Amino acid sequence: MLNNKSVILDSVMLIKNVYVFQSVLEYIGKVILFVATVVSLTSCSRAQASRAAKQQEVKNEENVATNDPLAQFYACGLPKDAYPVAFYGEDSISYNNLNDVQKREYLDKSNLVSGIQDFDSFYFFIQPIAGSEDEFSSFYNIWMYNEATKKISKIFSHHIGEYSEMQIDGVYWSYDIQDNDETYKTSSGSKGVMHHKTATPVVVIAARNIPMTPHPIYLTVILNPLIKKEKVIEEKFISFMSINDSSLPVAEQELSRKVILTTTTTTSSKEIPAPKDADFAVRNILYPSLNAYSTTGNSIGTLSLPHEEIDVIR
């Protein structure tokens, strides 16, 4: 009997041990399945996050390309280091650090467009020439975008002719307006002539040629880009002048020709008695004049201005 009981007890214990072992195996299987599920979900989540990040990055790049006011000009060949010429001379901040609204404002300021007449529109850009800048000078290219043809062209590079040290003080633009006469017949059969106006861009660079002296030569550079004409005048640029045509009907305003104004000065000097503590004294007499040119560089006239006397005592 005892032996039978012992066998029965051993059998029961074996069954329990088998059951416990199976339970442990099931538990371990569940744990492994759980871990595998977590790993799988984590991997999928990471993959989705990575994919979403890449998609967002592409969207951001597309938005930047879309929002950048110069994107359309880059697509037409404008160099990436060029910027609207209206920003030239601003050294408080880099152009690339401006926000899109500010960039758009400078682009609009660099646009030649008529508010009344149906003239072609143009944009102007300036580009530093790589490696040309030092403590005394820097050189630039100027680019023009033709809105009608959707083309970019370089209209100025570094310098012109003998003026190899040409430094740009400012860039200005207007329309070169010319007459293109058209004949017509009247109701009575006689002929008449109508002044039809054509307009092309004219660009003026106010510059200085800086030789190895403390006295720069002021230059007015007149560019007519569409006919590839250029002229350099050794005079200081003042401004474009427009005729007051407000008396005309609005539809006929802004059709009058512009005038380029410059100034020159001739000098003479004479010695004057020097004070006790001075080595010498000289009186310099300056004779300034106001000069007018057409937008193609032809001289129109000169007006002499009152002279100035400047004493130099050393």
Side-chain angles (χ1 to χ4, degrees), residues 213-268:
T213 72
H215 307 290
I217 301 171
Y218 283 99
L219 303 173
T220 296
V221 182
I222 303 173
L223 305 174
N224 299 102
L226 294 190
I227 59 175
K228 300 185 184 304
K229 180 182 178 182
E230 59 191 28
K231 184 170 184 176
V232 181
I233 306 169
E234 290 190 7
E235 298 174 8
K236 186 176 183 180
F237 176 73
I238 298 176
S239 68
F240 282 101
M241 187 191 79
S242 300
I243 296 175
N244 181 4
D245 60 0
S246 60
S247 59
L248 295 174
V250 173
E252 281 68 42
Q253 292 178 14
E254 294 190 10
L255 288 173
S256 58
R257 298 181 184 182
K258 307 299 186 289
V259 175
I260 296 171
L261 298 180
T262 68
T263 184
T264 51
T265 303
T266 58
T267 63
S268 65

Side-chain angles (χ1 to χ4, degrees), residues 4-298:
N4 291 336
K5 286 183 179 180
S6 177
V7 170
I8 293 171
L9 288 174
D10 289 342
S11 299
V12 170
M13 289 300 296
L14 178 61
I15 293 172
K16 285 183 177 181
N17 288 338
V18 170
Y19 177 77
V20 170
F21 181 72
Q22 288 179 338
S23 299
V24 170
L25 288 177
E26 289 178 1
Y27 177 77
I28 292 173
K30 290 180 180 179
V31 170
I32 292 173
L33 179 62
F34 175 76
V35 171
T37 302
V38 170
V39 170
S40 176
L41 290 175
T42 302
S43 298
C44 291
S45 178
R46 286 178 179 175
Q48 290 174 350
S50 177
R51 186 161 51 249
K54 288 181 179 178
Q55 290 174 344
Q56 186 61 43
E57 183 178 348
V58 170
K59 286 182 179 180
N60 290 340
E61 290 176 354
E62 290 176 349
N63 289 336
V64 168
T66 302
N67 294 334
D68 187 347
L70 301 188
Q72 70 178 95
F73 305 102
Y74 293 148
C76 294
L78 181 70
K80 292 296 180 68
D81 56 344
Y83 53 85
V85 76
F87 187 74
Y88 179 70
E90 299 282 350
D91 55 4
S92 59
I93 185 174
S94 167
Y95 177 79
N96 291 329
N97 291 334
L98 299 176
N99 59 45
D100 290 337
V101 173
Q102 293 171 317
K103 288 181 178 180
R104 171 62 62 181
E105 289 176 352
Y106 281 107
L107 179 62
D108 291 341
K109 291 177 182 178
S110 303
N111 179 212
L112 171 61
V113 63
S114 173
I116 299 176
Q117 302 302 325
D118 187 24
F119 295 154
D120 288 342
S121 176
F122 303 86
Y123 288 89
F124 301 96
F125 305 90
I126 194 165
Q127 173 198 18
I129 297 178
S132 71
E133 185 176 359
D134 58 32
E135 58 180 321
F136 301 109
S137 61
S138 54
F139 298 92
Y140 296 85
N141 295 322
I142 297 177
W143 298 78
M144 182 181 76
Y145 176 79
N146 188 331
E147 187 72 47
T149 62
K150 308 299 182 186
K151 290 184 178 180
I152 285 279
S153 58
K154 186 191 296 182
I155 62 174
F156 172 85
S157 181
H158 196 284
H159 74 284
I160 294 177
E162 63 186 280
Y163 305 100
S164 59
E165 299 299 320
M166 188 179 288
Q167 301 299 295
I168 297 176
D169 290 329
V171 182
Y172 309 87
W173 51 88
S174 188
Y175 284 110
D176 170 30
I177 298 175
Q178 301 293 332
D179 289 332
N180 184 15
D181 291 347
E182 296 180 354
T183 58
Y184 60 91
K185 287 186 177 181
T186 66
S187 58
S188 63
S190 60
K191 290 184 178 181
V193 177
M194 179 178 65
H195 295 317
H196 177 68
K197 302 291 185 177
T198 61
T200 56
V202 55
V203 178
V204 171
I205 301 174
R208 289 167 293 138
N209 196 60
I210 304 179
M212 300 303 291
T213 72
H215 307 290
I217 301 171
Y218 283 99
L219 303 173
T220 296
V221 182
I222 303 173
L223 305 174
N224 299 102
L226 294 190
I227 59 175
K228 300 185 184 304
K229 180 182 178 182
E230 59 191 28
K231 184 170 184 176
V232 181
I233 306 169
E234 290 190 7
E235 298 174 8
K236 186 176 183 180
F237 176 73
I238 298 176
S239 68
F240 282 101
M241 187 191 79
S242 300
I243 296 175
N244 181 4
D245 60 0
S246 60
S247 59
L248 295 174
V250 173
E252 281 68 42
Q253 292 178 14
E254 294 190 10
L255 288 173
S256 58
R257 298 181 184 182
K258 307 299 186 289
V259 175
I260 296 171
L261 298 180
T262 68
T263 184
T264 51
T265 303
T266 58
T267 63
S268 65
S269 61
K270 62 180 182 180
E271 292 186 3
I272 58 175
K276 288 182 179 181
D277 56 350
D279 294 329
F280 67 89
V282 174
R283 176 160 296 161
N284 293 277
I285 306 172
L286 309 178
Y287 301 94
S289 63
L290 183 64
N291 313 307
Y293 290 86
S294 71
T295 45
T296 54
N298 297 321

